[in-house]
């Protein structure tokens, strides 16, 4: 793993990948590098204009790339269901659950969920469940969810998953990122119990320069906070190309273990991919089962072929 770079990505020809939030930042880099190595990459994006522009950019930078935009709004479960129903391939080798929102003012998704929990966790839970038959039909498939080192700020409050009693934007973000790790933990357990040839793993980018950090401040017109975030991106953060490496490693490197968590080597901040520290509550079997049951109830999505772990 030492010194691992995008040049080390194995040949991806013949493989099909879905990358959510592939129109910018880490998602765009992830999609581009997979396409550059020969994968057929579906750019699953909310905005058609930005998705089409990402498709154009990838093809311009990698002329032989097979990249195609398909609309997906993770804040609307009807859109998630439409995406899965219209997915045109019988196989799915890589599902990269990358899209996310960070520290937004309180809001609700189309289905009434708190926005960060709804987009970062429930939307991806539903998407993965609806695409599970294709994953199970593809030997060596992988699911990679992008979490954050900030998951360490908070565990889940199972009695208030949608932050209805109290909303603190950074705590809500941390809980959604804890949910990403608990989801991968429980998914890996269920895949193992089913004897499935699918690896579920997680990754995080460290501090990478994307538009994620400033989105909340921009929505509220807090120009001072937005400028501070932008300054941090310029002076401290690593570029999106480096931030995407842990995700690309988890998705493509040989020998990636189920329920592993890959991040930057240097203090979980920057550098080449390496095993990352995670809070103990993200490997809690009971919490994983409870979150899974609640997520099935909220999304009305049941995973075909994956019962509870033995």
């Amino acid at each position: 793993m030492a010194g691992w770079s995008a040049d080390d990505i194995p040949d991806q020809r013949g493989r099909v990948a879905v990358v959510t939030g592939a129109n910018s930042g880490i998602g765009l880099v992830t999609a581009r590098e997979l396409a550059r190595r020969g994968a057929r990459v579906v750019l699953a994006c909310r905005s058609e204009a930005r998705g089409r522009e990402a498709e154009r950019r990838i093809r311009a930078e990698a002329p032989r790339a097979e990249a195609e935009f398909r609309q997906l709004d993770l804040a609307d479960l009807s859109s998630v269901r439409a995406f899965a129903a219209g997915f045109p391939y019988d196989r799915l080798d890589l599902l990269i659950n990358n899209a996310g929102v960070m520290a937004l003012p309180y809001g609700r998704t189309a289905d009434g969920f708190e926005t960060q929990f709804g987009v970062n966790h429930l939307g991806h839970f539903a998407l993965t469940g609806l695409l599970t038959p294709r994953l199970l039909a593809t030997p060596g498939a992988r699911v990679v969810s992008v979490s954050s080192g900030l998951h360490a700020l908070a565990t889940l409050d199972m009695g208030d998953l949608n932050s209805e009693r109290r909303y603190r934007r950074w705590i809500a973000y941390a809980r959604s990122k804890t949910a990403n790790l608990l989801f991968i933990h429980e998914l890996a357990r269920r895949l193992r119990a089913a004897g499935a040839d699918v690896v579920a793993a997680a990754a995080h980018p460290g501090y990478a320069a994307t538009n994620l950090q400033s989105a909340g401040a921009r929505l509220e017109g807090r120009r001072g906070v937005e400028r501070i975030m932008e300054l941090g991106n310029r002076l401290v953060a690593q570029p999106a190309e480096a931030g995407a490496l842990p995700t690309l490693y988890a998705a493509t490197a040989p020998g990636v273990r189920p329920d592993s968590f890959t991040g930057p080597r240097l203090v979980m901040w920057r550098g080449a991919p390496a095993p990352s520290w995670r809070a103990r509550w993200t490997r809690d079997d009971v919490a994983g089962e409870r979150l899974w049951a609640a997520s099935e109830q909220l999304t009305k999505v049941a995973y075909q072929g994956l019962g509870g772990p033995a």
Side-chain angles (χ1 to χ4, degrees):
M1 189 181 289
W4 195 91
S5 73
D7 292 336
D8 296 309
I9 297 172
D11 187 353
Q12 299 295 302
R13 284 176 292 183
R15 310 191 83 199
V16 176
V18 170
V19 181
T20 68
N23 56 281
S24 66
I26 291 164
L28 177 60
V29 174
T30 300
R32 183 193 69 203
E33 294 305 314
L34 291 173
R36 198 192 298 276
R37 296 304 185 278
R40 181 185 296 273
V41 182
V42 176
L43 314 177
C45 310
R46 180 175 60 85
S47 165
E48 180 171 1
R50 292 194 291 271
R52 296 290 185 194
E53 174 60 16
E55 182 182 68
R56 184 199 66 75
R57 287 180 60 185
I58 290 172
R59 288 177 173 170
E61 295 179 33
R64 295 183 180 179
E66 294 185 87
E68 58 184 272
F69 160 77
R70 286 187 174 269
Q71 194 163 41
L72 171 68
D73 184 355
L74 290 162
D76 185 345
L77 291 180
S78 67
S79 175
V80 176
R81 291 182 182 279
F83 177 92
F87 191 71
Y89 305 108
D90 294 330
R91 65 182 296 130
L92 178 55
D93 299 84
L94 300 175
L95 173 57
I96 313 295
N97 292 325
N98 163 80
V101 292
M102 174 189 280
L104 299 180
Y106 185 81
R108 291 182 179 271
T109 68
D111 304 279
F113 310 128
E114 185 275 312
T115 303
Q116 297 190 81
F117 183 68
V119 171
N120 296 352
H121 170 63
L122 289 176
H124 282 125
F125 178 90
L127 177 68
T128 306
L130 293 167
L131 293 177
T132 287
R134 290 177 173 84
L135 291 163
L136 294 176
T138 309
R142 292 189 190 180
V143 178
V144 178
S145 286
V146 179
S147 183
S148 167
L150 292 178
H151 79 274
L153 293 177
T155 187
L156 289 179
D157 181 349
M158 291 301 302
D160 191 24
L161 289 174
N162 283 299
S163 301
E164 293 172 318
R165 291 199 297 265
R166 183 182 183 190
Y167 182 73
R168 293 171 290 172
R169 66 185 70 202
W170 284 105
I171 295 300
Y173 176 72
R175 285 175 173 163
S176 74
K177 296 289 101 178
T178 282
N180 292 155
L181 285 168
L182 267 177
F183 164 62
I184 287 296
H185 177 70
E186 183 66 13
L187 178 59
R189 293 177 72 216
R190 289 171 181 255
L191 289 166
R192 182 172 59 251
D197 185 14
V198 180
V199 169
H204 75 93
Y207 187 3
T210 71
N211 59 13
L212 187 66
Q213 292 92 339
S214 58
R218 188 178 306 114
L219 280 173
E220 294 181 298
R222 296 184 296 155
R223 283 295 299 156
V225 175
E226 184 180 356
R227 287 170 181 164
I228 290 171
M229 293 294 187
E230 291 171 349
L231 184 63
N233 277 351
R234 289 198 300 271
L235 299 180
V236 182
Q238 61 181 353
E241 282 73 13
L245 289 179
T247 299
L248 288 164
Y249 182 92
T252 68
V256 169
R257 299 183 64 179
D259 198 27
S260 57
F261 189 33
T262 304
R265 179 177 301 278
L266 301 177
V267 203
M268 297 178 61
W269 190 284
R270 59 191 303 132
S276 187
W277 175 87
R278 61 195 283 183
R280 65 183 184 279
W281 57 73
T282 67
R283 285 200 172 103
D284 184 320
D285 294 348
V286 174
E289 290 182 7
R290 292 183 67 194
L291 176 63
W292 188 281
S295 300
E296 283 189 331
Q297 182 179 18
L298 291 169
T299 63
K300 304 298 188 290
V301 172
Y303 280 53
Q304 297 180 31
L306 294 183

